[in-house]
Amino acid sequence: MSLRRPRPSALALACLLALVCAPVVPGTARAAADAWWETSPTETPTTANAVAVDPDGNVYVGGTTRPTGASGAAAAFLRRYSRYGGQTWNLTGAGSLTASYYEQAVRGVAVLPTSATTWDIVVAGVISSATSYQDIWVSRLTMNGVTVWSTLLDPTTGGSDGANAVAVTPGGDVVAAGWAGSQIRLEVLRGSDGAPIYSASYFDALSGNEAALAVAVDAAGSVYVGGYRTLAAGDKNAWVAQYPADVSLGLVWEATLSAAWTATAYVGGLAVNASAGALYAVGAVSSAATQRDVLTARLNLAGAVAWTATIDGGAGLRDEADACALASDGDLLIAGGLTSLSSSPFADLWVARAAPDGSLRWQFTRDGPGHQVDGGLGIAGSAQGEVLVAGYEADTGAAALPRLYLADLRETSTAVVPSGGSPVPHPTPNPFRPGQGGAYDASAITFRSLTPGSAVRIYTLAGELVAELKDDDRDGLVVWSAKNASGKDAVSGVYIFVVAPEHGATTRGKLVIIR
């Protein structure tokens, strides 16, 4: 005769779920399961300009910050987060990123595979020094944040040069796109050591100012660049072009996506889907009726425009798209800002998913605590199906200084689900129902969104210590086998967990085990 553990009744299960959903400490923020977001400290001006995700779901965010406040010198930063929100490392300013310079900014981040299971990170941006106004800056780092090489380029010899975007070729070389003086500039560097291979500039004789804001590379190595041209009348024209793998050979084709009379138009993001023969471009275009609208377009890889579309937030003010990326199913992910006047007369951070025909499947907006200008500047889709968006939101206070905004968004069928606060340690699945199938079945309980190095302790409701764990590898998560110190399965019931970081306040909560 076989014996089975009795399964809890529906009433008992409801009671356990009510217990686990009740906060232990009044007022403690609760994160939605598997979703997180975070901002920089109050009154620390910080902007996230770019985000990339490696195949394991680790998140790399680059931008600029002023650690000493609004009057301090800007410093570049690059941070790595685990998939679950724990910050693994943070490089700022001098450190391992670059030598010491007055002004720094990371504006592009890309993943460079080194094997089937390992990869490095490439960043590109701008640096100013006492001897040069602005230089193009490109660096390669290991996934652990150690600099492999760092290259500075000064095409105009002391003038204004910089990179706004970066991509990696199929052969492992690095393409940085930006500007050199008043010209669009592309730099191709050898991936192994950062040595410049070739470069190209674009300058229209009728224009006084050009800049590249986005770059993408297809499977054949062709390079696509987007930005703007400035016409003789001073109006900007949204512009996209293709260079061959050897960019020094010059343009293969170019296309403009806005009329010549537009006062402000640009391409801020590019994404190429070679298997579908599609190149997507996003940006902004202005008109007399609506001032500035989001611009989206699809071209084929020969430069023919399949369609263009505009999106108006409804207030007729500042709407724009500054980044895009492909989702795993070929849809287009877009980040930018949209003004609707629903909460303030300023743009809110905006994220959207568009179908291949340009129609929106869903969109998400966020009005920051300062209720002024907020925006998304970087976006990436992970292999795990998540949407990572990086940008800034206005802080509270008279200055409304920008502060970093980074979000991991999980999709439902029609929308996205962000968490309700900054990354809060939480166990998943909760309740834990091993061997019973369904969403709550798993081999172990994983504590996510931990501050690196945190200790996790699990207690019975009577206060007896059941298990103690430590985030020794500092990846922001700890796995508990749901066994006690004697190696036996922890019995069904409600448990208290306490997460103690190395510095700062502890977090408490409840979890349920149902066997």
Side-chain angles (χ1 to χ4, degrees):
M1 182 177 67
S2 62
L3 297 176
R4 295 187 180 183
R5 294 188 182 96
R7 298 202 174 192
S9 66
L11 177 60
L13 179 57
C15 292
L16 288 174
L17 291 175
L19 281 170
V20 77
C21 291
V24 173
V25 181
T28 299
R30 292 182 58 84
D34 292 334
W36 53 269
W37 63 269
E38 82 161 29
T39 62
S40 56
T42 301
E43 297 302 321
T44 301
T46 305
T47 300
N49 295 322
V51 62
V53 186
D54 69 27
D56 279 348
N58 298 299
V59 181
Y60 303 85
V61 180
T64 185
T65 184
R66 296 181 183 271
T68 58
S71 61
F77 70 81
L78 179 67
R79 302 173 185 173
R80 174 182 165 176
Y81 296 80
S82 77
R83 179 189 172 193
Y84 309 106
Q87 190 179 118
T88 307
W89 46 258
N90 178 15
L91 303 177
T92 303
S96 299
L97 270 181
T98 67
S100 179
Y101 292 90
Y102 294 129
E103 298 287 330
Q104 305 177 60
V106 172
R107 295 188 176 175
V109 182
V111 174
L112 193 161
T114 55
S115 74
T117 57
T118 60
W119 40 86
D120 283 356
I121 308 303
V122 177
V123 300
V126 60
I127 287 179
S128 296
S129 70
T131 58
S132 183
Y133 177 45
Q134 290 177 314
D135 290 339
I136 297 170
W137 162 50
V138 187
S139 284
R140 175 175 173 175
L141 304 93
T142 70
M143 58 190 295
N144 295 318
V146 178
T147 298
V148 178
W149 51 256
S150 188
T151 300
L152 295 180
L153 300 168
D154 184 16
T156 58
T157 314
S160 176
D161 312 310
N164 287 316
V166 69
V168 175
T169 71
D173 292 330
V174 177
V175 183
W179 76 96
S182 58
Q183 300 183 19
I184 288 169
R185 184 75 172 185
L186 289 180
E187 295 285 354
V188 182
L189 297 86
R190 192 162 53 219
S192 59
D193 59 8
I197 301 174
Y198 35 73
S199 61
S201 295
Y202 178 90
F203 183 77
D204 189 333
L206 298 177
S207 170
N209 188 21
E210 327 279 358
L213 304 176
V215 66
V217 179
D218 67 20
S222 295
V223 177
Y224 303 87
V225 57
Y228 61 86
R229 298 170 50 197
T230 304
L231 304 180
D235 296 336
K236 291 181 180 178
N237 200 309
W239 175 85
V240 63
Q242 183 196 65
Y243 284 83
D246 181 351
V247 301
S248 64
L249 297 177
L251 290 175
V252 177
W253 55 258
E254 61 178 321
T256 54
L257 303 178
S258 57
W261 50 263
T262 54
T264 300
Y266 63 85
V267 170
L270 290 174
V272 59
N273 185 345
S275 62
L279 174 68
Y280 296 99
V282 303
V285 61
S286 61
S287 70
T290 59
Q291 296 189 36
R292 189 186 304 180
D293 292 337
V294 170
L295 171 67
T296 60
R298 174 172 173 163
L299 301 85
N300 66 25
L301 301 189
V305 177
W307 53 257
T308 61
T310 58
I311 300 169
D312 179 14
L317 297 172
R318 175 184 173 272
D319 306 318
E320 60 190 30
D322 292 301
C324 66
L326 284 182
S328 57
D329 62 358
D331 273 2
L332 184 65
L333 304 173
I334 312 170
L338 216 61
T339 307
S340 65
L341 287 183
S342 60
S343 55
S344 76
F346 302 98
D348 294 337
L349 182 143
W350 173 70
V351 184
R353 175 191 274 261
D357 64 0
S359 60
L360 294 185
R361 299 193 190 276
W362 54 253
Q363 54 184 329
F364 162 79
T365 58
R366 173 178 169 81
D367 181 20
H371 305 296
Q372 294 200 37
V373 179
D374 313 308
L377 299 178
I379 195 165
S382 75
Q384 294 76 22
E386 298 149 24
V387 179
L388 283 302
V389 59
Y392 64 96
E393 59 181 16
D395 203 352
T396 56
L401 298 173
R403 66 180 190 178
L404 173 144
Y405 179 79
L406 170 65
D408 179 330
L409 305 176
R410 311 296 167 94
E411 295 184 81
T412 65
S413 59
T414 58
V416 294
V417 183
S419 69
S422 14
V424 176
H426 58 282
T428 58
N430 191 14
F432 174 59
R433 304 184 67 185
Q436 298 185 38
Y440 301 106
D441 187 3
S443 59
I445 297 171
T446 301
F447 289 85
R448 309 181 188 277
S449 299
L450 307 181
T451 300
S454 293
V456 179
R457 301 179 184 90
I458 297 99
Y459 299 88
T460 66
L461 289 178
E464 298 173 345
L465 180 65
V466 178
E468 184 169 7
L469 310 156
K470 183 75 182 294
D471 179 23
D472 290 321
D473 59 3
R474 307 182 71 83
D475 67 350
L477 63 151
V478 160
V479 178
W480 180 39
S481 62
K483 297 181 182 295
N484 60 26
S486 301
K488 297 181 178 179
D489 288 342
V491 299
S492 297
V494 180
Y495 294 82
I496 305 295
F497 68 84
V498 177
V499 178
E502 294 173 337
H503 306 284
T506 59
T507 300
R508 297 174 176 83
K510 294 175 181 175
L511 65 90
V512 170
I513 296 176
I514 304 172
R515 295 190 184 275

